[in-house]
Amino acid sequence: MLHRIASVVASEAAAGTHFATTIVVAAEWLPGGLSLKTYFVPRRLSQKNAALGGVGRIPGAAGAYVPGESCHAWVPQHEPRGQCAEPIAATNSMLAVDNVVSEKSHLKFYFQTPHTSFASVREIVTLGGRIPVADSHLQDLRSLLLAINGIDSDFADQQEVPCPEQYDPSAIDNFVELPILLSGYLYYFDIAPGPALPSIKLYNPVRRYGPDDRALAGGIMQWMDAHGRILRAV
């Protein structure tokens, strides 16, 4: 088996395949001490320009890793074949775990979606309405995304955020085998022992969307100022 894998890797390397790190260990310094996390970013051998695995495998994996959890109950409704996520087409792009005993560890799934409309953001962060989020908080999130992306406030919720056709040439080689990572928003689902539903975070890839760094910083500062997030000297 190992000989076959080595042969495939050697053949792909000879053909010019771009290889990148698939396992990353991250150190987090917390008040209580050092914490480690492991991130898995699989590249399937002999499969280029493909998704990194389907979310259909998550229910079994989550149930085995976090025994007795009901977190897998929301997955079938939000995989690409489900009614809720059908227009969103989320793709599992990375898995992370806390390096502790499984009873205390979190499963961290990262999903890439080609969509950037706020309608799709609202659908995912609320799991189609299953996670209650105050409308005022959603509007704050909407205004933050508009500020980050340099978009006017009358931008339609159903409209996709525009981006340059050509990606930054200085970084495009980092994703040569996974072009799906070049566009769309990234979502992080934190499945913790106990809760029936995950905690969800949204990542806006400013390397792809929005204005230059100076305009980006200015937009964020204006948003923080308008929302009382800036500390001022007395």
Side-chain angles (χ1 to χ4, degrees):
M1 180 66 176
L2 292 178
H3 176 74
R4 186 185 69 82
I5 293 176
S7 176
V8 172
V9 171
S11 298
E12 291 192 349
T17 297
H18 178 87
F19 290 98
T21 299
T22 57
I23 298 179
V24 178
V25 177
E28 184 177 14
W29 277 267
L30 302 172
L34 178 65
S35 173
L36 296 177
K37 297 178 174 63
T38 300
Y39 294 80
F40 300 93
V41 189
R43 265 69 170 175
R44 293 179 181 174
L45 294 176
S46 302
Q47 184 174 1
K48 297 182 179 180
N49 301 330
L52 295 178
V55 290
R57 296 189 180 91
I58 294 179
Y65 192 77
V66 190
E69 288 302 305
S70 57
C71 62
H72 63 278
W74 57 268
V75 177
Q77 301 179 33
H78 292 82
E79 60 177 306
R81 294 179 297 277
Q83 293 182 354
C84 179
E86 186 173 354
I88 297 172
T91 300
N92 180 211
S93 62
M94 184 164 58
L95 164 67
V97 296
D98 297 319
N99 293 3
V100 296
V101 294
S102 60
E103 292 81 5
K104 297 182 179 180
S105 185
H106 291 208
L107 278 174
K108 309 167 194 297
F109 286 99
Y110 293 79
F111 289 86
Q112 186 78 24
T113 170
H115 296 287
T116 55
S117 69
F118 189 72
S120 69
V121 172
R122 182 192 297 111
E123 182 76 4
I124 293 179
V125 299
T126 66
L127 284 184
R130 296 189 64 185
I131 298 177
V133 180
D135 186 66
S136 59
H137 293 171
L138 289 172
Q139 291 305 313
D140 285 347
L141 175 59
R142 179 181 183 275
S143 64
L144 175 59
L145 291 174
L146 293 176
I148 291 174
N149 293 321
I151 297 175
D152 294 334
S153 59
D154 59 353
F155 193 77
D157 286 357
Q158 290 74 27
Q159 192 170 350
E160 303 291 345
V161 175
C163 65
E165 293 184 6
Q166 179 61 43
Y167 188 70
D168 182 358
S170 66
I172 194 170
D173 287 344
N174 294 337
F175 307 98
V176 66
E177 294 295 322
L178 298 166
I180 190 175
L181 300 180
L182 289 177
S183 61
Y185 283 161
L186 177 68
Y187 295 87
Y188 159 45
F189 289 68
D190 186 347
I191 302 176
L197 295 173
S199 173
I200 304 173
K201 294 181 181 179
L202 163 67
Y203 291 83
N204 185 339
V206 295
R207 63 172 179 261
R208 178 64 165 164
Y209 297 95
D212 57 78
D213 290 352
R214 182 175 182 178
L216 171 64
I220 294 176
M221 291 291 290
Q222 290 178 8
W223 184 90
M224 293 177 66
D225 192 19
H227 290 78
R229 301 292 185 91
I230 295 181
L231 296 177
R232 301 185 182 279
V234 179

